[in-house]
Amino acid sequence: MITLALSKGRIFDDTVPMLAAAGITVDPAVVNSRKLILPTGDPGLRLIIVRASDVPTYVQYGAADLGVAGKDVLIEHGGEGLYQPIDLGIARCRLCVATSAGFDYQNAVRRGARLRVATKYVTAARRHFAEKGVHVDLIKLYGSMELAPLVGLADAIVDLVSTGSTLRANNLVEVEEIMQVSARLIVNQASLKTRSERLEPLLAAMRAASRAKETA
Ligand code: ADP
Ligand code: MG
């Protein structure tokens, strides 16, 4: 049995059509149940539902052979024990620095000010500001980052943005793009060696499905 780890939400919603393109169906009735282990139309493949940030951990330890995880999540995890063979091009967004509309970020950076930055993405944020030579105090948060500048917890946030509507709703502005983010297929390194006969056809099908989506 091959196990594929997915998170509910946009990763799941974008992956299921790619599986369908690869000939693997997922029964909608099963999706809407509260079950965390889901069968597929392929008796040799099952899905497990985990938190987005836990997907690399399940795959790293071999509890799942494969998973789908955002580049953001993979950077924070570190990628140990994982192959990342395919950028699926799904769940696209960008990692950005945002501040209150009234905060002059560029000027603060020019002055060499020390910035307080709240984020869930501390590894990516630390790397970004180190490369820019900006001194920051990072404050780790687990959600609702948009609130931090509004109540004086931080000067800036590092967060994922897709449409920008959440930033706008909270009177924040994007002041810098750190990177483009999309979700990748990840594979347990040992699984790829010991179960390659089962995994290679699935990888090939997913690669074909992601290329077909690109040109569509
Ligand atoms: P969770 O809230 O559990 O992290 P999400 O479904 O919000 O789960 O996010 C899963 C992944 O989707 C993220 O890790 C990221 O790669 C991607 N993503 C795409 N667009 C966004 C967005 N606007 N906000 C957050 N994540 C996004
Ligand atoms: Mg979310």
Side-chain angles (χ1 to χ4, degrees):
M1 177 70 75
I2 296 292
T3 301
L4 170 64
L6 296 174
S7 54
K8 276 260 166 87
R10 63 196 107 219
I11 299 262
F12 189 91
D13 297 344
D14 288 358
T15 302
V16 165
M18 298 192 76
L19 289 173
I24 298 160
T25 55
V26 185
D27 180 354
V30 148
V31 174
N32 295 321
S33 73
R34 286 161 190 258
K35 289 191 188 305
L36 299 176
I37 302 181
L38 310 183
T40 71
D42 176 346
L45 178 72
R46 64 178 183 177
L47 311 180
I48 61 171
I49 304 300
V50 303
R51 281 294 297 267
S53 48
D54 291 335
V55 167
T57 308
Y58 277 83
V59 178
Q60 173 188 1
Y61 288 99
D65 304 285
L66 306 142
V68 178
K71 186 178 179 185
D72 52 313
V73 162
L74 290 167
I75 289 171
E76 300 309 311
H77 170 272
E80 201 190 326
L82 305 176
Y83 284 123
Q84 302 182 24
I86 308 171
D87 182 348
L88 296 172
I90 59 174
R92 284 183 189 278
C93 54
R94 50 194 197 280
L95 188 68
C96 295
V97 183
T99 67
S100 290
F103 184 81
D104 191 343
Y105 174 75
Q106 303 302 346
N107 184 48
V109 167
R110 263 195 309 276
R111 286 194 342 261
R114 193 170 185 96
L115 296 177
R116 295 228 297 184
V117 179
T119 188
K120 185 168 150 186
Y121 309 98
V122 286
T123 303
R126 184 174 295 115
R127 190 185 298 171
H128 172 72
F129 291 112
E131 279 168 6
K132 275 181 67 96
V134 174
H135 295 288
V136 292
D137 291 314
L138 290 174
I139 300 172
K140 167 86 184 185
L141 290 179
Y142 293 88
S144 300
M145 262 85 77
E146 297 82 6
L147 185 61
L150 306 180
V151 295
L153 178 64
D155 304 307
I157 61 171
V158 167
D159 198 5
L160 295 172
V161 179
S162 46
T163 64
S165 56
T166 306
L167 291 182
R168 272 192 299 281
N170 290 292
N171 202 24
L172 301 179
V173 289
E174 179 181 332
V175 293
E176 198 161 69
E177 178 179 304
I178 299 178
M179 69 178 79
Q180 296 281 328
V181 169
S182 56
R184 281 114 212 279
L185 192 72
I186 58 173
V187 187
N188 175 272
Q189 287 180 355
S191 291
L192 194 60
K193 294 195 188 87
T194 60
R195 318 187 78 181
S196 66
E197 269 165 62
R198 283 285 292 119
L199 288 174
E200 288 296 353
L202 183 57
L203 293 184
M206 291 298 276
R207 202 174 271 121
S210 72
R211 288 218 188 96
K213 214 172 54 60
E214 236 166 64
T215 55

